[in-house]
């Protein structure tokens, strides 16, 4: 239930917003606030009003669940409430603790004064949901803190703390601890001093050379947005604030907000927001399953992944023992980690003291004897089943009973690794993504024998180290890499059929991918995939189409950026891909050998072939139970593979196109390109029933 309880503090009214968990501005809360405001303003013995939040924060903003429903616009609207506050005649003070976000901050902006606890967070994160602050935020904030700072907060979505808010003029004062009593004192003092009380909406907006400022900001924001509309709409609204009277600016903001809220992009981003909450629920782990304590972590390997994983654990305050085969590898790993944290210190993102504390938490070792205390071991040694089985047999002997034994394997079977131990129930996959200290995704891979409390503890550990854990099943490549295989396979076939690496990369980057598949390959290194293909060669079904282009490129020692050439070539010291005729020749030769007549390929075909390959594979993954839900597949691809969040993920994108269309195209590709395109039965069934992968409408 939502309430806005009114209490009297002598001559000051305190109204507390109370709607757990985040005091979201639902219709019920707006009604309650309106009633309390009426009561306070109608009582002549009350000289001022303070608005605060109950629980752990001031107000988390609009109620996302009411979006696109009649409740979101039912009276009293947030707009009416804000206008009411501005015209109150008595001072109204916002007392902000915890956070004031979105509609919560917009409510505070309509108050005459703001006092915030020093550690409170203030922000307008709407842009992250594909929206803009539609409650006057784009018009009031530039008037209060100036255009450049307001644009940064609105189009960037990043909150500021109250200390920074104070220097920006966003808050009038900060308090140590609960701001209510300071707010009541300020309200009383301002009431006695008499009006008029400052109203943000009435302040002028100042900016020198607006045209030049907005032209350069627009160019930068468009580049960073990679196809997302909301940041540019935010800019348009802030610009409107500089040239329109307040009321017209509000109308402009409302119109732009409506465009976004009804559009696909914000639905896609809200889908991902709810998908994250849903991903935390794992049906095969009974509610209330007790977690195993994870106080000490061990990491095996100090290479690319081992170093990144150790950084994650140490940054979360956990002591880490890191094991390697020789001292030089340990030193190399430590050097990498120190350099990465040094860079953060240089950028002011980390204090030197915190860097030193983190480094001190990572203790190197060459002996399994030092792993006896570890509650969780994460193995990140070479991707070789025999090596991993050997390592797990040694872990079995060295680790205490109940320790969780995790592998960071990219593709190997968790069950085959677990078999090397006498405790397969304690073995699980924890698949981090590179660079592990940056990428949010963590695939938590359940083996056939993995115990429920090992899954639950692994999910909790993922959250502790700041990751987004997604529970997946055990198969070649799990969810992400299995889909990636389908995607890169089609990209490779498109080359043989007539496209160039840069055409494919550019078409997919225009679609919104952070980087096209051939540029990704060159960045990650082509040798690992090559080794895998050589291992799999003996068992590859001979009748399935196979492109030899990637192998031929590797045979020339072209492993990507690290060797100066791969799908592209690179000038010494440069990461800029330069198209290379050598690759064109290899492609043409492979196509001729395979009897493929090359033709002009459209960008549309590139996008359809790669995107529907993802959706078709995703449907098979879903039907096999490897992913628990379509939204988990979306989370994996958005958070691990540079898929544009504003498209909601590959399954949401297929839903948006319409599964009937996708099924029809997959059937056509099957007829033309053969067995790789065998339509997923789930896709055909949902298409026939007129349904979606993500059936739970999130909008
Ligand atoms: N690189 C990636 O993008 C990526 C992403 C996700 C998962 N992975 C997986 O992570 C694992 C590690 O990959 P990487 O890229 O960090 O490899 P890497 O070659 O950079 O590092 C592997 C490290 O393991 C050490 N090592 C080898 N055998 C060992 C043993 N028996 N005991 C202790 N240490 C040993 C090596 O000395 C080396 O430092 C692989 O399973 C890989 O598939 C890699």
């Amino acid at each position: 239930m939502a309430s806005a309880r009114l209490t009297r503090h002598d001559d000051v009214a305190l109204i507390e917003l109370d709607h757990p968990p985040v005091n979201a501005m639902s219709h019920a809360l707006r009604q309650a606030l309106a009633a309390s405001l009426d009561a306070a303003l109608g009582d002549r013995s009350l000289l001022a009003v303070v608005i605060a939040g109950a629980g752990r924060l001031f107000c988390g903003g609009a109620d996302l669940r009411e979006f696109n429903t009649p409740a979101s616009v039912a009276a009293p609207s947030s707009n009416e409430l804000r206008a009411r506050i501005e015209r109150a005649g008595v001072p109204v003070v916002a007392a902000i603790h915890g956070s004031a976000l979105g509609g919560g901050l917009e409510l505070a902006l309509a108050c005459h004064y703001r006092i915030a606890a020093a550690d409170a967070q203030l922000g307008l994160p709407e842009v992250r949901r594909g929206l803009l602050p539609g409650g006057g935020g784009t018009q009031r904030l530039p008037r209060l803190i100036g255009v450049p700072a307001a644009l940064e907060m609105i189009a960037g979505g990043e909150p500021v703390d109250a200390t920074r808010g104070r220097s920006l003029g966003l808050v009038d004062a900060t308090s140590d601890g609960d701001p209510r009593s300071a707010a009541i004192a300020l309200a009383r003092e301002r009431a006695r001093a008499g009006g008029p009380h400052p109203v943000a909406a009435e302040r002028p907006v100042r900016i020198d050379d607006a045209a030049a400022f907005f032209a350069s900001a627009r160019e930068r924001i468009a580049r960073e947005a990679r196809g997302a509309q909301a940041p540019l709409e935010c800019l348009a609204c802030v610009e409107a604030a500089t040239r329109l009277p307040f009321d017209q600016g509000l109308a402009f903001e409302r119109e732009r907000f409506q465009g976004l809220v009804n559009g696909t992009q914000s639905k896609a981003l809200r889908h991902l927001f709810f998908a994250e909450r849903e991903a935390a629920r794992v049906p095969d782990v009974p509610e209330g399953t007790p977690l195993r304590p994870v106080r000490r972590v061990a990491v095996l390997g100090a290479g690319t992944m081992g170093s990144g994983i150790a950084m994650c654990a140490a940054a979360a305050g956990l002591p880490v023992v890191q094991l390697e085969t020789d001292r030089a590898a340990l030193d190399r790993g430590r050097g990498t980690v120190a350099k990465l944290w040094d860079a953060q210190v240089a950028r002011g993102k980390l204090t030197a003291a915190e860097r030193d504390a983190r480094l001190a938490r990572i203790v190197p070792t060459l002996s399994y004897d030092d792993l006896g205390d570890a509650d969780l071991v994460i193995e990140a040694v070479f991707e070789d089943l025999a090596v991993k089985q050997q390592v797990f047999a040694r872990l079995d002997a060295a680790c205490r009973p109940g320790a969780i034994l995790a592998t960071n394997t990219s593709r190997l079977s968790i069950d085959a690794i677990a078999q090397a131990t006498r405790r397969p129930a304690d073995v699980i996959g924890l698949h981090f993504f590179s660079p592990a200290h940056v990428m949010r995704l963590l695939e938590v891979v359940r083996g056939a024998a993995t115990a429920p409390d090992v899954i639950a503890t692994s999910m909790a550990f993922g959250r502790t180290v700041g990751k987004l854990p997604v529970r997946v099943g055990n198969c070649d490549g799990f969810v992400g890499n299995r889909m990636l295989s389908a995607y890169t396979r089609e990209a490779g076939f498109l080359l043989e059929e007539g496209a160039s690496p840069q055409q494919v990369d550019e078409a997919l980057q225009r679609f919104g991918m952070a980087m096209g598949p051939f540029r990704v390959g060159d960045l990650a290194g082509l040798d690992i995939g090559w080794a895998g293909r050589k291992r799999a060669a003996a068992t590859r079904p001979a009748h399935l189409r196979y492109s030899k282009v990637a192998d031929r490129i590797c045979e020339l020692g072209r492993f990507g950026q690290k060797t100066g050439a791969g799908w592209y070539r690179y000038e010494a010291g440069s990461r800029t891909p330069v198209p290379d005729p050598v690759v064109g020749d290899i492609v043409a030769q492979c196509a001729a050998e395979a009897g493929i007549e090359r033709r002009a390929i459209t960008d549309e075909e590139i996008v359809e072939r790669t995107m529907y390959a993802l959706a078709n594979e995703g449907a098979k993954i879903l039907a096999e139970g490897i992913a628990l839900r379509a939204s988990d597949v979306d989370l994996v691809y958005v958070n691990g593979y540079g898929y544009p969040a504003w498209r909601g993920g590959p399954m949401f994108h297929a839903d948006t196109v319409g599964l009937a269309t996708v099924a029809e195209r997959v059937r056509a590709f099957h007829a033309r390109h053969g067995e790789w395109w065998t339509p997923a039965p789930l896709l055909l069934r949902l298409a026939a029933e007129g349904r979606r992968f993500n059936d739970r409408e999130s909008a």
Side-chain angles (χ1 to χ4, degrees):
M1 257 313 285
S3 71
R5 199 160 61 100
L6 173 74
T7 48
R8 291 171 152 273
H9 296 256
D10 296 331
D11 46 8
V12 177
L14 172 67
I15 299 175
E16 272 188 315
L17 309 173
D18 191 359
H19 181 205
V22 297
N23 300 333
M25 273 287 165
S26 63
H27 180 218
L29 185 58
R30 295 198 304 275
Q31 283 179 314
L33 175 57
S36 290
L37 274 175
D38 282 346
L41 300 178
D43 184 337
R44 297 196 144 265
S45 68
L46 289 169
L47 303 183
V49 178
V50 169
I51 301 178
R56 55 190 176 82
L57 78 176
F58 177 73
C59 173
D63 195 336
L64 272 189
R65 292 193 184 271
E66 285 188 356
F67 276 30
N68 306 81
T69 72
S72 69
V73 288
S77 70
S78 296
N79 217 14
E80 285 161 22
L81 287 171
R82 284 184 296 265
R84 187 86 215 280
I85 290 168
E86 283 176 333
R87 293 192 314 263
V90 302
V92 181
V93 181
I96 301 167
H97 77 295
S99 55
L101 297 175
L105 182 58
E106 289 178 308
L107 178 70
L109 290 175
C111 296
H112 305 108
Y113 306 97
R114 285 154 294 281
I115 290 197
D119 61 353
Q121 296 283 311
L122 310 147
L124 295 170
E126 286 85 347
V127 70
R128 295 184 182 165
R129 310 266 170 268
L131 299 170
L132 54 84
T138 67
Q139 305 304 298
R140 287 188 180 88
L141 195 62
R143 287 175 160 82
L144 201 61
I145 68 171
V147 173
L151 180 62
E152 192 182 319
M153 279 184 73
I154 294 168
E158 194 69 38
V160 297
D161 65 21
T163 310
R164 168 123 175 89
R166 174 89 183 83
S167 68
L168 290 172
L170 179 54
V171 297
D172 300 283
T174 58
S175 71
D176 292 329
D178 193 330
R180 283 179 185 76
S181 49
I184 290 170
L186 176 78
R188 183 172 295 126
E189 178 213 313
R190 295 282 92 204
R192 292 191 177 152
H197 304 291
V199 171
E202 290 169 1
R203 293 167 64 127
V205 198
R206 279 188 252 279
I207 172 120
D208 295 333
D209 201 355
F213 172 80
F214 284 110
S216 103
R218 182 173 285 110
E219 197 265 323
R220 175 179 56 84
I221 289 174
R223 185 165 18 90
E224 290 168 2
R226 287 199 287 117
Q229 293 161 349
L232 287 163
E233 293 292 84
C234 288
L235 178 136
C237 290
V238 173
E239 188 177 25
T242 66
R243 56 183 171 77
L244 298 177
F246 181 77
D247 285 342
Q248 287 179 33
L250 269 193
F252 184 95
E253 179 196 83
R254 177 102 315 246
E255 187 197 315
R256 297 300 175 111
F257 178 85
Q258 286 305 335
L260 290 176
V261 81
N262 292 318
T264 307
Q265 290 199 1
S266 77
K267 287 183 182 154
L269 288 157
R270 276 176 278 153
H271 158 69
L272 291 173
F273 175 79
F274 290 113
E276 287 196 14
R277 292 191 183 179
E278 191 84 4
R281 280 192 275 277
V282 179
D284 44 1
V285 175
E287 191 104 3
T289 299
L291 302 185
R292 300 188 188 182
V294 177
R295 297 193 193 93
R296 267 179 267 277
V297 175
V299 175
L300 270 57
T304 310
M305 297 307 289
S307 298
I309 295 167
M311 286 174 81
C312 295
L318 291 162
V320 181
V321 175
Q322 189 162 34
L323 181 135
E324 259 288 352
T325 45
D326 62 67
R327 177 66 52 187
L330 280 174
D331 292 346
R332 257 197 318 276
R334 196 170 190 78
T336 310
V337 169
K339 223 165 92 187
L340 288 165
W341 277 333
D342 283 349
Q344 290 188 17
V345 172
R347 288 203 309 273
K349 302 258 178 213
L350 190 69
T351 64
E354 174 60 14
R355 171 201 55 202
D356 295 344
R358 289 180 183 184
L359 275 172
R361 281 184 207 122
I362 306 178
V363 177
T365 184
L366 296 171
S367 166
Y368 278 78
D369 294 344
D370 292 331
L371 306 186
D373 283 346
D375 303 306
L376 167 66
V377 182
I378 306 172
E379 167 276 312
V381 308
F382 297 139
E383 183 78 342
D384 180 311
L385 183 60
V387 174
K388 293 205 193 278
Q389 285 178 326
Q390 220 172 46
V391 163
F392 271 74
R394 295 192 70 178
L395 285 176
D396 194 18
C399 295
R400 65 165 184 75
I404 295 177
L405 309 181
T407 170
N408 184 50
T409 179
S410 307
R411 288 183 170 273
L412 299 172
S413 165
I414 306 301
D415 296 336
I417 294 170
Q419 274 162 21
T421 73
R422 289 159 299 168
R423 40 173 128 172
D426 295 339
V427 177
I428 194 162
L430 283 182
H431 185 208
F432 289 77
F433 289 72
S434 179
H437 66 293
V438 176
M439 299 294 285
R440 259 187 97 213
L441 179 64
L442 176 67
E443 283 185 328
V444 175
V445 194
R446 186 210 165 119
T450 309
D453 64 341
V454 170
I455 301 172
T457 305
S458 298
M459 299 285 291
F461 167 77
R463 284 188 285 273
T464 302
V465 297
K467 300 298 174 200
L468 171 64
V470 179
R471 205 292 256 152
V472 302
N474 184 30
C475 67
D476 182 6
F478 318 126
V479 171
N481 282 341
R482 177 166 159 187
M483 290 176 66
L484 181 72
S485 293
Y487 170 81
T488 48
R489 183 187 68 227
E490 280 311 304
F493 290 163
L494 284 159
L495 293 189
E496 288 184 330
E497 289 166 42
S500 66
Q502 60 271 29
Q503 188 197 354
V504 173
D505 282 348
E506 281 166 17
L508 289 168
Q509 285 164 202
R510 268 194 296 276
F511 176 81
M513 297 299 294
M515 212 186 260
F518 298 109
R519 288 184 60 192
V520 169
D522 276 0
L523 180 67
L526 305 178
D527 45 334
I528 303 164
W530 188 35
R533 290 195 298 278
K534 282 192 281 196
R535 275 200 303 274
T539 52
R540 190 164 40 237
H543 68 284
L544 276 177
R545 180 175 171 190
Y546 180 79
S547 169
K548 296 194 178 111
V549 176
D551 296 345
R552 295 271 169 88
I553 284 175
C554 288
E555 283 160 18
L556 297 177
R558 300 172 64 115
F559 296 154
Q561 286 187 17
K562 61 186 170 189
T563 59
W567 293 105
Y568 298 90
R569 64 184 180 78
Y570 300 84
E571 303 292 348
S574 162
R575 288 168 168 266
T576 308
V578 182
D580 191 342
V582 175
V583 173
D585 293 345
I586 294 173
V587 170
Q589 196 183 342
C590 289
E593 286 169 21
I596 296 166
E597 199 163 320
R598 302 190 81 220
R599 61 191 164 90
I601 306 277
T602 62
D603 288 4
E604 190 191 1
E605 179 172 356
I606 292 170
V607 169
E608 284 200 328
R609 290 266 294 272
T610 51
M611 291 304 132
Y612 299 165
L614 285 177
N616 198 42
E617 194 64 35
K620 292 176 188 170
I621 284 171
L622 265 180
E624 290 169 30
I626 296 294
L628 290 170
R629 35 183 102 80
S631 59
D632 282 1
V633 177
D634 287 332
L635 286 180
V636 165
Y637 230 71
V638 167
N639 292 282
Y641 296 85
Y643 192 94
W646 55 266
R647 289 197 190 268
M651 309 310 273
F652 189 89
H653 176 63
D655 287 338
T656 304
V657 171
L659 294 191
T661 305
V662 176
E664 185 263 317
R665 299 302 293 141
V666 168
R667 278 199 176 103
F669 292 145
H670 187 214
R672 178 160 186 184
H673 301 291
E675 193 173 322
W676 282 119
W677 278 101
T678 304
L682 177 66
L683 168 64
L684 298 184
R685 179 165 62 76
L686 293 178
E689 292 170 1
R691 289 171 57 199
R692 304 157 48 94
F693 288 127
N694 288 289
D695 244 343
R696 175 186 48 77
E697 251 305 342
S698 54

